[in-house]
Amino acid sequence: MVIGSILFASAFLAANCFAQGDVQQAKTAALEKLSGYYQFPNNVAFVQFKLKDNTLFAKQLWDNKAYQLTQIEETTFESKEEGYKIEFLIDSSGRFTHAKIMGRIMTTKVGFDPKVIKQLSVAQLKRLEGTYSLTDDNSLKIDIRPSANGLTIKQLWDNKEIAFTPRSETFFLNEDGTFPLTFLLNGKEATQVTCFENDVWLKAK
């Protein structure tokens, strides 16, 4: 009877350990889906959510400040020290696509690392070239051409040129990372580019 009791207790403890391991694995897998880079509405700032030792951290890429997050609901977290609320949102297909910070700032998950320059082919750069006019003032035009490292914009009203490097096929930054370009593609060709948050330029046909 004593031996039987020991065997039963051992089996119970082993089963319990396996169950706890499964729960932890499931929790880790769920948190991994939240990880990635999220872009702020100004298109310049990014925050990275990263899992470390089964704990989610938020890192501001503009100053590298990191926040440890505490899970308060399934998809809602707070920074441990400051109490900043972060809510992760899913789309209709069940993928996490946005994170709302402090209940008012909507960030969008992107599929690239904004710190890493992406190598694009000549064909990928060529489809972005052309002359673009500002939607609010058609007299203002820019000329976009491929360069050795990405793209060059020439402001046609003053002939000033600015160099950009790609972070993805459609997102570019200038040298100091303060001037973002976001292209909209229709099939294989670009139809418009947005500078900063909402300066939209349409490509001449």
Side-chain angles (χ1 to χ4, degrees):
M1 292 179 63
V2 173
I3 294 175
S5 297
I6 293 174
L7 290 175
F8 177 78
S10 298
F12 175 79
L13 289 173
N16 191 45
C17 288
F18 280 122
Q20 290 179 354
D22 290 342
V23 170
Q24 185 59 55
Q25 287 180 353
K27 181 179 179 181
T28 300
L31 291 177
E32 282 285 5
K33 294 180 180 179
L34 308 178
S35 299
Y37 296 94
Y38 291 71
Q39 188 175 32
F40 280 70
N42 64 9
N43 292 332
V44 175
F46 291 83
V47 60
Q48 180 187 14
F49 293 102
K50 186 176 181 179
L51 193 60
K52 181 181 179 181
D53 297 329
N54 298 320
T55 300
L56 196 64
F57 287 82
K59 181 181 179 181
Q60 299 172 166
L61 298 194
W62 59 90
D63 62 4
N64 291 322
K65 185 174 182 179
Y67 301 86
Q68 182 177 341
L69 303 182
T70 300
Q71 190 170 13
I72 57 177
E73 292 180 9
E74 184 177 358
T75 59
T76 304
F77 295 74
E78 281 185 351
S79 58
K80 186 175 181 180
E81 301 296 332
E82 301 81 6
Y84 298 149
K85 184 179 178 182
I86 300 170
E87 180 184 4
F88 292 91
L89 306 174
I90 60 175
D91 62 10
S92 58
S93 65
R95 296 179 302 174
F96 288 97
T97 55
H98 295 83
K100 184 185 288 187
I101 299 175
M102 295 189 292
R104 55 185 176 82
I105 304 173
M106 186 69 74
T107 63
T108 302
K109 191 174 186 180
V110 298
F112 58 87
D113 183 343
K115 306 186 302 299
V116 176
I117 296 176
K118 183 179 178 65
Q119 299 300 315
L120 298 183
S121 67
V122 173
Q124 288 174 312
L125 293 172
K126 288 281 287 183
R127 65 182 181 176
L128 307 177
E129 73 175 348
T131 300
Y132 294 74
S133 301
L134 184 63
T135 53
D136 293 338
D137 186 349
N138 292 334
S139 67
L140 295 178
K141 301 181 186 297
I142 55 176
D143 191 55
I144 298 179
R145 295 286 176 250
S147 66
N149 299 315
L151 296 174
T152 298
I153 280 186
K154 183 177 183 180
Q155 299 174 166
L156 298 185
W157 60 90
D158 62 3
N159 292 324
K160 180 180 179 180
E161 294 188 350
I162 308 171
F164 293 83
T165 51
R167 293 336 189 244
S168 74
E169 292 185 28
T170 57
F171 182 74
F172 291 70
L173 286 171
N174 67 330
E175 185 176 1
D176 64 8
T178 59
F179 191 155
L181 299 177
T182 307
F183 289 88
L184 178 64
L185 300 178
N186 183 7
K188 295 183 178 180
E189 296 297 321
T191 58
Q192 69 179 51
V193 61
T194 301
C195 301
F196 300 103
E197 185 173 351
N198 50 24
D199 289 339
V200 179
W201 302 72
L202 298 180
K203 186 177 180 180
K205 296 180 180 181

